Amino acid sequence: MKESSTDDFDVLFVKKRTGVKYFAIIFGLIILTLTSVYAYLSIGSVRDRMELAHSTADATMQINPSLLNLLKEKAWIESRLQMASRDSIGLAIDLERHTIQLELKGVVIMSSKIRDYSTSGFFKKMDGNVYFSMFGTPLTIEKFISTIEKNPLRVVHAPKDTIAAAAAIDAAIKKDSLLDENVFWTVKLDRDIDLDIQGIDSVAEAKSKYKLGKGFEFERNLKNIISSFEHIMNFKKPVYTPEILISIPENDAKAILRALPRKPLVTIRI
Amino acid sequence: MIRSLLIFLAILFLGLLFFVTMVLFAIPALQESTLVLPSMIEVSSNSDIAGTDQQTLENDIAKLQTKLEKLTPVNAYMVVNTSDNHYYLFKDKKLVREGICSTGKNERLVSAERNYEHIFHTPFGVRKIIRKQPNPVWTKPDWSYIEDGLPIPSSRDPSRVETGTLGAYKLEIGDGFMIHGTIYKRRMGMSVTHGCIRLLDEDLEVVYKTMEVGSKVYIY
């Protein structure tokens, strides 16, 4: 009687452990399958993006690799000349010379040194034809998202008398201090490229602002991931957008954001 | 029972942690790397195609560069950064002076009672000096009275005329906007004006003497 009850208990224990084992295996397989499907479709979307870029590029043009840098230089100047034909401020980014500048009618009105930058692997794998189809002519900014207001305009109600007017002046003077803002902005370019600009003045400052900047980036990435999931749930490949991330001094990042008109032209050299 | 439940939960947690890490970090990192793309760099060495030889390209670039450089004025011009409230004066394509300025305060003044609205903003873009004048007199516009909470006098009322407020010189850049001096020197370098560009006395004198009628002012 005693032995039998011990056997029953052991059986129960073994069953439970087997259950855990089965669960671990099945759950592990489900997770691995989901991850693999997600990775496969996500990576597939990058390859699709490159194929699309190839199909839209002028593949008939033969490009000698030894002349590629000269052709890029020519495209860079031609594109800036096209920008100069417009009356509005344009943005010129030269990753080769680490400069970002505002141009108006061909005149460089502001220039800033790029402290650091990173580009998607997509750009490193472009051939000449894809390069010129993407950067041979000016791009257009279609959408701005930023941590600071692009065109701040405060509404002030007119004072009723001179006493209220004097009080308003005092309040304005008190408010007029230098704001310590976290400047991070991202734009969507018309050839389906994301351009991210972050304002960083020093390493120490960058550390304290890292979290805020990352928060902004994370929020944006999360939106991309949700969109990717939606695509995958509908048995479609997610949309991949290659990115360029540039770090410049904070005041310059702010000045450039505020100077750019609604749909400005952008010339990029990589 | 509790032990088994804990094991279930641990497996569940680890599995989900793995998935989330992959989705949030590993797969996006892989997408941004070069590993997922086959090399597509052009390997053709055909340089016999017309217009693609090195000499032709170098000549083209030199011509285009000259064309682009010609767009920058040789005579005096000024660049105003309204974000930093800084100005730069150029002559012969060289920076000859720079300093602080004050620009538009980016405000919309609204008076519901008087049915009035005015935006105080320095306009962006390129403008030209259309008129230069020493010892300018300021004729106060309506917004000045509305902003001070005062009744608006008639357009020819003598109280509208003020001397000294605009400093020693003014340079008009169109639509009522000007480059001028100020009596409010402690607020220089701030966005406090009604749209005009205020300079310090010494800077204003140099700008006035360097810039001609027709000289360009680039504002951003």
Side-chain angles (χ1 to χ4, degrees), chain A residues 65 67 120-121 127 154 156 158, chain B residues 32 36 40 44 52 107-108 110:
Chain A
L67 298 180
S120 295
D127 67 11
R154 207 157 56 96
V156 174
Chain B
E32 295 305 319
V36 296
M40 291 181 178
S44 162
T52 59
E107 268 183 18
R108 185 197 295 270
V110 180

Side-chain angles (χ1 to χ4, degrees), chain A residues 158-175:
Chain A
K160 286 178 181 165
D161 50 39
T162 50
I163 298 163
I169 291 167
D170 279 350
I173 291 170
K174 277 171 196 160
K175 273 185 190 173

Side-chain angles (χ1 to χ4, degrees), chain A residues 62-66 127-128, chain B residues 39-46:
Chain A
Q62 291 281 339
I63 292 167
N64 183 346
S66 64
D127 67 11
Chain B
S39 182
M40 291 181 178
I41 291 168
E42 191 71 55
V43 286
S44 162
S45 59
N46 184 356

Side-chain angles (χ1 to χ4, degrees), chain A residues 35-70:
Chain A
T35 311
S36 305
V37 169
Y38 189 87
Y40 174 76
L41 291 172
S42 299
I43 290 164
S45 68
V46 183
R47 288 169 179 251
D48 284 0
R49 180 72 184 82
M50 184 58 96
E51 273 170 30
L52 179 74
H54 259 274
S55 63
T56 49
D58 180 12
T60 55
M61 197 167 80
Q62 291 281 339
I63 292 167
N64 183 346
S66 64
L67 298 180
L68 193 61
N69 283 339
L70 280 175

Side-chain angles (χ1 to χ4, degrees), chain B residues 143-191:
Chain B
W143 52 253
S144 174
Y145 294 94
I146 292 169
E147 198 180 32
D148 290 343
L150 292 166
I152 302 171
S154 69
S155 58
R156 291 187 179 184
D157 193 282
S159 76
R160 283 190 183 259
V161 179
E162 268 188 21
T163 51
T165 315
L166 301 181
Y169 308 98
K170 74 167 180 181
L171 299 94
E172 291 178 19
I173 54 171
D175 300 322
F177 296 103
M178 292 178 268
I179 299 167
H180 60 73
T182 182
I183 50 170
Y184 307 107
K185 293 192 171 57
R186 73 188 177 103
R187 302 190 74 191
M188 285 302 293
M190 296 178 184
S191 302

Side-chain angles (χ1 to χ4, degrees), chain A residues 52-116:
Chain A
L52 179 74
H54 259 274
S55 63
T56 49
D58 180 12
T60 55
M61 197 167 80
Q62 291 281 339
I63 292 167
N64 183 346
S66 64
L67 298 180
L68 193 61
N69 283 339
L70 280 175
L71 286 162
K72 280 185 181 181
E73 175 79 17
K74 190 182 170 193
W76 162 249
I77 304 170
E78 275 177 338
S79 185
R80 287 170 64 205
L81 277 166
Q82 279 185 49
M83 243 174 28
S85 64
R86 295 245 301 228
D87 288 332
S88 55
I89 297 170
L91 184 64
I93 299 167
D94 189 348
L95 295 182
E96 209 178 287
R97 288 175 194 157
H98 287 250
T99 54
I100 180 165
Q101 52 199 38
L102 287 173
E103 295 184 358
L104 180 54
K105 302 293 264 172
V107 178
V108 177
I109 56 171
M110 183 247 176
S111 183
S112 180
K113 196 87 190 148
I114 293 173
R115 296 217 152 124
D116 192 20

